Amino acid sequence: MLFRSFILALMGQKGTFLLGDPLAKIPRGLASGNPLVNGANQIGNTLITDGWTASISGILLAGDYIQINNRLYKVLQDVTSDGSGNATLEIWPRLAASPADNEYIVTYDCKGVFRLAENVTPIYEANEERFYSINFSAIEAK
């Protein structure tokens, strides 16, 4: 019932919450180093980065998540860092706003800020064994 109270406290689309993929908290790639955004004014599906461990094939793998400023992105292709620890990432969704130069990139337990997709009370169900299920839709909060 705690989750039900949490959902109701959001007051429909007004409130926001952090949400990530519980099955992908740990990247499949090595994801080592101290990754940072490399350069301001980046927009689109390509992100130039640095600070990775140098010369690693599979520093990130397709399907891994990254987080920048409470925004969640999925890596679309396997990534290799070069000899200087630089790497270019193809991501989804696209960068709608450019992150700052040297903004830290989270690679473990990544989350984004979301809100309910509709101003409706989520559907709750319970069976005879008192197992509850809940169904709701969420969208990225911008």
Side-chain angles (χ1 to χ4, degrees):
M1 294 311 228
L2 180 62
F3 191 74
R4 185 175 187 176
S5 296
F6 168 77
I7 292 289
L8 293 173
L10 292 172
M11 295 196 271
Q13 292 180 300
K14 183 177 179 183
T16 60
F17 53 95
L18 290 173
L19 180 66
D21 183 342
L23 300 177
K25 288 184 175 192
I26 299 171
R28 296 179 311 113
L30 188 59
S32 61
N34 293 302
L36 303 169
V37 172
N38 184 4
N41 302 317
Q42 296 191 55
I43 299 291
N45 292 92
T46 301
L47 180 66
I48 300 167
T49 65
D50 60 10
W52 300 97
T53 302
S55 303
I56 300 292
S57 178
I59 196 84
L60 291 173
L61 297 179
D64 285 342
Y65 286 96
I66 62 167
Q67 174 187 333
I68 304 170
N69 286 331
N70 288 330
R71 293 204 166 217
L72 186 63
Y73 301 95
K74 184 171 265 202
V75 176
L76 299 177
Q77 298 175 357
D78 292 355
V79 179
T80 297
S81 60
D82 69 15
S84 299
N86 301 312
T88 300
L89 286 57
E90 295 298 320
I91 58 171
W92 183 90
R94 65 188 303 280
L95 294 164
S98 178
D101 183 34
N102 291 322
E103 188 71 44
Y104 184 69
I105 299 170
V106 176
T107 57
Y108 286 80
D109 197 16
C110 301
K111 294 179 175 69
V113 178
F114 289 82
R115 70 177 72 251
L116 295 176
E118 300 176 285
N119 280 322
V120 297
T121 303
I123 299 169
Y124 299 91
E125 295 178 3
N127 63 17
E128 300 82 37
E129 290 86 26
R130 300 186 78 176
F131 285 102
Y132 288 81
S133 65
I134 183 170
N135 186 4
F136 66 95
S137 296
I139 56 173
E140 183 181 20
K142 297 186 180 189

